[in-house]
Amino acid sequence: MPIDPICGMQVDESTEYKTEAGGETVYFCSDHCKQKFLNGETGAEKKEAPPGTTYTCPMHLEIEQDHPGDCPKCGMALEPKDTSAEEDDSELHDMSRRFRIGLAFTLPLFIISMGGMIPGDPIGKLISADLSKWIEFALATPVVLWAGFPFFKRGWKSFKGWNLNMFTLIGVGTGTAYLYSAVATIAPNIFPDSFRVHGKVSLYFESAAVIILLVLLGQVLELRARKRTGAAIRELMGLAPKQARIVRDGEETDIPLDEVKEGDILRVRPGEKIPVDGVITEGKSRIDESMLTGEPTPVEKGKDDSVTGATVNQTGSFLMRATRVGRDTVLSQIVKMVAKAQRSRAPIQHLADIFAARFVPAVIGISIVSFIIWAWVGPEPRLAHALVNAVAVLIIACPCALGLATPMSIMVGVGRGAKSGVIIKNAEVLEVMEKIDTIVVDKTGTLTEGRPALTDCIVSKGFDKGKLLRLVASVEQNSEHPLAAALTDAAKEQGLALNSADDFDSVTGAGVSATVDGQTILAGRPEFLNDRNVTGLDELEDKAGDLENHGKTVIFAAVDGKAAGLMAVADPIKTSTPDAIRSLHELGLEIHMVTGDNEQTARSVAGELGIDEVRAGVKPEDKHDYVKQLRDNGRKVAMAGDGINDAPALAAANVGIAMGTGTDVAIESAGVTLVKGNLQGIVKSVKLSRAVMRNIRQNLFFAFIYNSLGIPVAAGLLYPFFGILLSPMIAAAAMSCSSVSVITNALRLRTVALSSKE
């Protein structure tokens, strides 16, 4: 296995860098070593990210560049903006290796330096004081200068650009402790008596090394936790199959997924994942779409039904025509939207930014003041105590927890929403969504299925429902009217075989007639049947009135001149809508329905669902004006819709919510997209926004309180009352714990329940 010429470590194949130097191949184990070699000699290369990859800081999104590196503002490693299925763990590996090696040096250092505290001082009997300080120097040097090198590098950058950050404080604090101890070891006679304890200058090698080690541990834990924050999106990306079974010239062949082209015919067998988005051309099956929608119930699919890539075919085998491939598939679009949202910033983050911009200079000032006060009025040795407390202030005040408070919650929350079929456009949407008090919904396609369906079939005495439906559907299959399609679809769903119709005739706006199985069939308005001398209509008209009062369209049917029955067609309410409306009311939201449908139908649907306000017969511009009026009256409005006519209103609302089954323009105008086109997604989005914002406030509270309490304690506030001083090592441990606590709290969002089924 190759050896790194800079640090002497064996090269891990997963993080291997190499370059040609002097006619031979040179290998490097880490990005740090690669960069160091680059600066001194020639170029080193690693397997590069895809061309065009942009890197950004997870805490400062305005920082972007076309190559990896560190953020000039906070010093954190830059990450690719576009999430990749193959994530780069090089920084985690590097920090973990530094921690392990640093631990190997720090443990004996700590034991030797603290040996005097062990009863009988066994360490002091084995090693003299003069030899002990040189051993401590030798052990601390690789920990501080090698293991802690990334922190000093980032701290130096922060001074150069005057973007003071957490690494500024770590670098100044540990650097001061190490240099002070190194000088005290090499030239102790230059220090005055005010630095001496029992005639010797105190050394703080163990403090510098332990602080570096604890910061490294915090970085490792943070990187591991941040890796988990992107788990949801990586799970989505990993759902796509690697291959597809293409059908060409009657033969089936497996090909790589990236070779599938739009229009290709693909075979999907039971248990396989659907390779790309498309339309079934032959066969039928039950499709598990839970990976996109969060809904566990499989969906029946047949010819001409659309299917989505990465969903699972459960039962039947079918052929499909590819309609969207590569980056155009629904899954790819979701991944792109989620990745973009995870990188966005919530307005609440500005509060933390303003605080952090003033915080680090203030901490350095407090540290200096603390040193001066302890050097002036502190106990002997004054300067030694002053140094310890000044370093403790610098270390405990690191604002890493404050910087992570919002981004971590946003990343986890957006990923959690994606797993439940709620796609958030950006972080600002989450913050605004929490304050929503009014939901404005369209009717068609939002509350209802969006297509007419047979809801009632009432027959006259002596007629059979199934037979009448078969006869009428056999006639209507020749018509292009939407209501005709509802009747033929209902007949097919019931397994009724439709016969051919002879002498078909259609009267626009009235009805149709034809001969089926030798019988004359009429279907349409009652006036159409009366004009053809149909008898027995009177007893059906009262029943028709009740159905029409519920917003349904009634079709009268006659067989051989006799009234045979009537059929009611309506756009049915989605089965999920009633529960969703109840849940939204329980969340304290008011529901308004704004629709272009007629007043009677709109009132009927609103009454059945318990909707608070209804506006019917409105035009697209009226929907926009209604939403604007609500906002002008102080309401916080979310608008949900699925059509082109909803796009203006979606854009006018505080938050636009597009049904994933809707048009692209509606989705583009919205801040939230529901992959499953029903109102349960709105319930989930409201619960998600409230959970994320609550989590962010908890994180900010932890960070603010931690620094507010930690700095005075580190400065020595408790010493006059209780004789308590805060060791820099304890300060470093507390600083690392604060970051880990913020990340751990954010990770709780991965398990937040967004529906009663979760």
Side-chain angles (χ1 to χ4, degrees), residues 735-752:
M735 181 268 294
S736 297
C737 287
S738 69
S739 296
V740 173
S741 67
V742 164
I743 296 171
T744 302
N745 187 52
L747 288 173
R748 292 193 305 112
L749 289 170
R750 298 175 70 199
T751 58
V752 65

PDB file of all heavy atoms in Angstrom, residues 735-752:
ATOM      1  N   MET A 735     -17.881  23.138  24.408  1.00  0.00           N
ATOM      2  CA  MET A 735     -18.083  23.696  23.070  1.00  0.00           C
ATOM      3  C   MET A 735     -18.476  22.604  22.081  1.00  0.00           C
ATOM      4  O   MET A 735     -19.401  22.761  21.280  1.00  0.00           O
ATOM      5  CB  MET A 735     -16.806  24.407  22.620  1.00  0.00           C
ATOM      6  CG  MET A 735     -16.878  25.059  21.240  1.00  0.00           C
ATOM      7  SD  MET A 735     -16.324  23.955  19.915  1.00  0.00           S
ATOM      8  CE  MET A 735     -14.591  23.797  20.332  1.00  0.00           C
ATOM      9  N   SER A 736     -17.786  21.456  22.139  1.00  0.00           N
ATOM     10  CA  SER A 736     -18.116  20.355  21.234  1.00  0.00           C
ATOM     11  C   SER A 736     -19.507  19.805  21.522  1.00  0.00           C
ATOM     12  O   SER A 736     -20.274  19.499  20.606  1.00  0.00           O
ATOM     13  CB  SER A 736     -17.073  19.236  21.366  1.00  0.00           C
ATOM     14  OG  SER A 736     -15.794  19.697  20.979  1.00  0.00           O
ATOM     15  N   CYS A 737     -19.839  19.714  22.805  1.00  0.00           N
ATOM     16  CA  CYS A 737     -21.162  19.193  23.185  1.00  0.00           C
ATOM     17  C   CYS A 737     -22.277  20.102  22.688  1.00  0.00           C
ATOM     18  O   CYS A 737     -23.360  19.629  22.318  1.00  0.00           O
ATOM     19  CB  CYS A 737     -21.257  19.035  24.700  1.00  0.00           C
ATOM     20  SG  CYS A 737     -20.301  17.646  25.348  1.00  0.00           S
ATOM     21  N   SER A 738     -22.034  21.403  22.669  1.00  0.00           N
ATOM     22  CA  SER A 738     -23.079  22.319  22.218  1.00  0.00           C
ATOM     23  C   SER A 738     -23.401  22.085  20.745  1.00  0.00           C
ATOM     24  O   SER A 738     -24.572  22.075  20.343  1.00  0.00           O
ATOM     25  CB  SER A 738     -22.645  23.773  22.445  1.00  0.00           C
ATOM     26  OG  SER A 738     -21.578  24.131  21.577  1.00  0.00           O
ATOM     27  N   SER A 739     -22.364  21.871  19.926  1.00  0.00           N
ATOM     28  CA  SER A 739     -22.598  21.603  18.505  1.00  0.00           C
ATOM     29  C   SER A 739     -23.310  20.287  18.307  1.00  0.00           C
ATOM     30  O   SER A 739     -24.255  20.180  17.517  1.00  0.00           O
ATOM     31  CB  SER A 739     -21.267  21.585  17.746  1.00  0.00           C
ATOM     32  OG  SER A 739     -20.649  22.847  17.795  1.00  0.00           O
ATOM     33  N   VAL A 740     -22.865  19.283  19.028  1.00  0.00           N
ATOM     34  CA  VAL A 740     -23.489  17.961  18.893  1.00  0.00           C
ATOM     35  C   VAL A 740     -24.946  18.002  19.351  1.00  0.00           C
ATOM     36  O   VAL A 740     -25.824  17.367  18.753  1.00  0.00           O
ATOM     37  CB  VAL A 740     -22.693  16.909  19.690  1.00  0.00           C
ATOM     38  CG1 VAL A 740     -23.418  15.573  19.699  1.00  0.00           C
ATOM     39  CG2 VAL A 740     -21.301  16.747  19.092  1.00  0.00           C
ATOM     40  N   SER A 741     -25.235  18.767  20.401  1.00  0.00           N
ATOM     41  CA  SER A 741     -26.616  18.843  20.893  1.00  0.00           C
ATOM     42  C   SER A 741     -27.529  19.484  19.864  1.00  0.00           C
ATOM     43  O   SER A 741     -28.671  19.055  19.671  1.00  0.00           O
ATOM     44  CB  SER A 741     -26.668  19.622  22.215  1.00  0.00           C
ATOM     45  OG  SER A 741     -26.324  20.985  22.007  1.00  0.00           O
ATOM     46  N   VAL A 742     -27.022  20.520  19.175  1.00  0.00           N
ATOM     47  CA  VAL A 742     -27.816  21.171  18.122  1.00  0.00           C
ATOM     48  C   VAL A 742     -28.090  20.199  16.981  1.00  0.00           C
ATOM     49  O   VAL A 742     -29.214  20.085  16.487  1.00  0.00           O
ATOM     50  CB  VAL A 742     -27.086  22.428  17.609  1.00  0.00           C
ATOM     51  CG1 VAL A 742     -27.674  22.897  16.283  1.00  0.00           C
ATOM     52  CG2 VAL A 742     -27.179  23.545  18.638  1.00  0.00           C
ATOM     53  N   ILE A 743     -27.058  19.473  16.554  1.00  0.00           N
ATOM     54  CA  ILE A 743     -27.232  18.527  15.447  1.00  0.00           C
ATOM     55  C   ILE A 743     -28.160  17.394  15.851  1.00  0.00           C
ATOM     56  O   ILE A 743     -29.038  16.977  15.078  1.00  0.00           O
ATOM     57  CB  ILE A 743     -25.862  17.981  15.004  1.00  0.00           C
ATOM     58  CG1 ILE A 743     -25.010  19.116  14.441  1.00  0.00           C
ATOM     59  CG2 ILE A 743     -26.019  16.881  13.967  1.00  0.00           C
ATOM     60  CD1 ILE A 743     -23.575  18.735  14.167  1.00  0.00           C
ATOM     61  N   THR A 744     -27.991  16.885  17.060  1.00  0.00           N
ATOM     62  CA  THR A 744     -28.847  15.798  17.533  1.00  0.00           C
ATOM     63  C   THR A 744     -30.303  16.238  17.591  1.00  0.00           C
ATOM     64  O   THR A 744     -31.219  15.494  17.209  1.00  0.00           O
ATOM     65  CB  THR A 744     -28.386  15.328  18.924  1.00  0.00           C
ATOM     66  OG1 THR A 744     -27.015  14.915  18.850  1.00  0.00           O
ATOM     67  CG2 THR A 744     -29.239  14.161  19.412  1.00  0.00           C
ATOM     68  N   ASN A 745     -30.523  17.449  18.050  1.00  0.00           N
ATOM     69  CA  ASN A 745     -31.893  17.965  18.100  1.00  0.00           C
ATOM     70  C   ASN A 745     -32.482  18.076  16.701  1.00  0.00           C
ATOM     71  O   ASN A 745     -33.648  17.750  16.462  1.00  0.00           O
ATOM     72  CB  ASN A 745     -31.910  19.329  18.789  1.00  0.00           C
ATOM     73  CG  ASN A 745     -33.321  19.841  19.025  1.00  0.00           C
ATOM     74  OD1 ASN A 745     -34.161  19.146  19.593  1.00  0.00           O
ATOM     75  ND2 ASN A 745     -33.608  21.057  18.590  1.00  0.00           N
ATOM     76  N   ALA A 746     -31.665  18.540  15.733  1.00  0.00           N
ATOM     77  CA  ALA A 746     -32.147  18.652  14.354  1.00  0.00           C
ATOM     78  C   ALA A 746     -32.500  17.285  13.776  1.00  0.00           C
ATOM     79  O   ALA A 746     -33.487  17.135  13.054  1.00  0.00           O
ATOM     80  CB  ALA A 746     -31.100  19.343  13.489  1.00  0.00           C
ATOM     81  N   LEU A 747     -31.716  16.276  14.124  1.00  0.00           N
ATOM     82  CA  LEU A 747     -31.957  14.937  13.582  1.00  0.00           C
ATOM     83  C   LEU A 747     -33.262  14.328  14.085  1.00  0.00           C
ATOM     84  O   LEU A 747     -33.779  13.382  13.487  1.00  0.00           O
ATOM     85  CB  LEU A 747     -30.785  14.009  13.925  1.00  0.00           C
ATOM     86  CG  LEU A 747     -29.483  14.283  13.159  1.00  0.00           C
ATOM     87  CD1 LEU A 747     -28.356  13.411  13.701  1.00  0.00           C
ATOM     88  CD2 LEU A 747     -29.673  14.033  11.677  1.00  0.00           C
ATOM     89  N   ARG A 748     -33.814  14.875  15.153  1.00  0.00           N
ATOM     90  CA  ARG A 748     -35.113  14.375  15.638  1.00  0.00           C
ATOM     91  C   ARG A 748     -36.216  14.589  14.604  1.00  0.00           C
ATOM     92  O   ARG A 748     -37.234  13.900  14.597  1.00  0.00           O
ATOM     93  CB  ARG A 748     -35.500  15.063  16.946  1.00  0.00           C
ATOM     94  CG  ARG A 748     -34.620  14.716  18.131  1.00  0.00           C
ATOM     95  CD  ARG A 748     -35.222  15.178  19.442  1.00  0.00           C
ATOM     96  NE  ARG A 748     -35.537  16.598  19.453  1.00  0.00           N
ATOM     97  CZ  ARG A 748     -36.782  17.085  19.479  1.00  0.00           C
ATOM     98  NH1 ARG A 748     -37.820  16.274  19.475  1.00  0.00           N
ATOM     99  NH2 ARG A 748     -36.965  18.394  19.496  1.00  0.00           N
ATOM    100  N   LEU A 749     -36.003  15.555  13.703  1.00  0.00           N
ATOM    101  CA  LEU A 749     -37.012  15.825  12.672  1.00  0.00           C
ATOM    102  C   LEU A 749     -37.176  14.658  11.708  1.00  0.00           C
ATOM    103  O   LEU A 749     -38.189  14.567  11.014  1.00  0.00           O
ATOM    104  CB  LEU A 749     -36.624  17.079  11.886  1.00  0.00           C
ATOM    105  CG  LEU A 749     -36.744  18.409  12.633  1.00  0.00           C
ATOM    106  CD1 LEU A 749     -36.093  19.525  11.830  1.00  0.00           C
ATOM    107  CD2 LEU A 749     -38.207  18.738  12.909  1.00  0.00           C
ATOM    108  N   ARG A 750     -36.192  13.770  11.649  1.00  0.00           N
ATOM    109  CA  ARG A 750     -36.301  12.633  10.740  1.00  0.00           C
ATOM    110  C   ARG A 750     -37.442  11.706  11.131  1.00  0.00           C
ATOM    111  O   ARG A 750     -37.952  10.966  10.295  1.00  0.00           O
ATOM    112  CB  ARG A 750     -34.987  11.836  10.740  1.00  0.00           C
ATOM    113  CG  ARG A 750     -33.775  12.624  10.258  1.00  0.00           C
ATOM    114  CD  ARG A 750     -32.517  11.813  10.404  1.00  0.00           C
ATOM    115  NE  ARG A 750     -32.485  10.702   9.462  1.00  0.00           N
ATOM    116  CZ  ARG A 750     -31.704   9.634   9.610  1.00  0.00           C
ATOM    117  NH1 ARG A 750     -30.916   9.531  10.661  1.00  0.00           N
ATOM    118  NH2 ARG A 750     -31.716   8.677   8.711  1.00  0.00           N
ATOM    119  N   THR A 751     -37.851  11.752  12.382  1.00  0.00           N
ATOM    120  CA  THR A 751     -38.889  10.831  12.848  1.00  0.00           C
ATOM    121  C   THR A 751     -40.192  11.543  13.210  1.00  0.00           C
ATOM    122  O   THR A 751     -41.080  10.915  13.772  1.00  0.00           O
ATOM    123  CB  THR A 751     -38.379  10.036  14.071  1.00  0.00           C
ATOM    124  OG1 THR A 751     -37.997  10.952  15.116  1.00  0.00           O
ATOM    125  CG2 THR A 751     -37.165   9.187  13.694  1.00  0.00           C
ATOM    126  N   VAL A 752     -40.295  12.836  12.906  1.00  0.00           N
ATOM    127  CA  VAL A 752     -41.520  13.557  13.261  1.00  0.00           C
ATOM    128  C   VAL A 752     -42.696  12.993  12.466  1.00  0.00           C
ATOM    129  O   VAL A 752     -42.593  12.703  11.276  1.00  0.00           O
ATOM    130  CB  VAL A 752     -41.355  15.071  12.998  1.00  0.00           C
ATOM    131  CG1 VAL A 752     -41.184  15.359  11.512  1.00  0.00           C
ATOM    132  CG2 VAL A 752     -42.545  15.844  13.552  1.00  0.00           C
TER     133      VAL A 752
END
